[in-house]
Amino acid sequence: MRRFVFTIAVMMVLLSSARATTKGLSQIVTPELQAAGDLSLSFQAQSERIANPYELQAEMGLTNWAEFAVFRGFKPDDWIFSTEFGLLTKEPYLLSVGFLNWSPHLDVDPQPYIEAGYYTEHQKFIVGAIHAGYKNEAILGYAYDFNKTWRVQIDWLSGAENSSTIGFTCNITRDFQMNPALYINNGPGHDLFGYVVFSYTLHLWNKIRGKELEKSKK
């Protein structure tokens, strides 16, 4: 554990930033992929009713059509793996497949999914399905980007054990973002749970592309 945290800290100090993206919603996977060469490091805190209350995440864009992510949970001790592969990657139309929440450590099988998106400059629409355990669940999401800094977002995952969420994303700097959200349980009582994630993106081998994008925003 100490080695893992130390490695993340060293990488954040040594590697420079280039650009920012508002990525992901609060609860659901999204059909856009991490840019090739980008590594996002995240700290996530949430209610125990949602998932592991404290997690670290590393999300790596391998190519323009493939990425993987690793979650490190602490209560219980766990390692969780996810992947995403883009079948359509040119906006406004997106289509991706992959699997989520594979935990060999806790003997949890991967959950395959398919997801489509329609992305415009400001509005993002997402629909899909995931196979979790013994059943299929529906995925819906919507986000509105006011500008390069602010996004509001809502999403829904079917099933009484899942939730609807409402939250926002703020790009504090070009590469550092914060995403707090409120979970509303789908089951009886519609209990409320808190969630927040902080992410920092490192540009490992696409620094030239990042600089070009940065210039285009000026």
Side-chain angles (χ1 to χ4, degrees), residues 13-27:
V13 170
L14 294 179
L15 295 169
S16 62
S17 64
R19 67 182 180 90
T21 56
T22 48
K23 60 188 187 66
L25 300 187
S26 302
Q27 175 181 209

Side-chain angles (χ1 to χ4, degrees), residues 98-102 108-113 130-133:
F99 67 79
L100 303 174
N101 301 324
W102 180 36
V108 176
D109 292 333
Q111 300 172 354
Y113 69 88
I130 184 170
H131 182 77

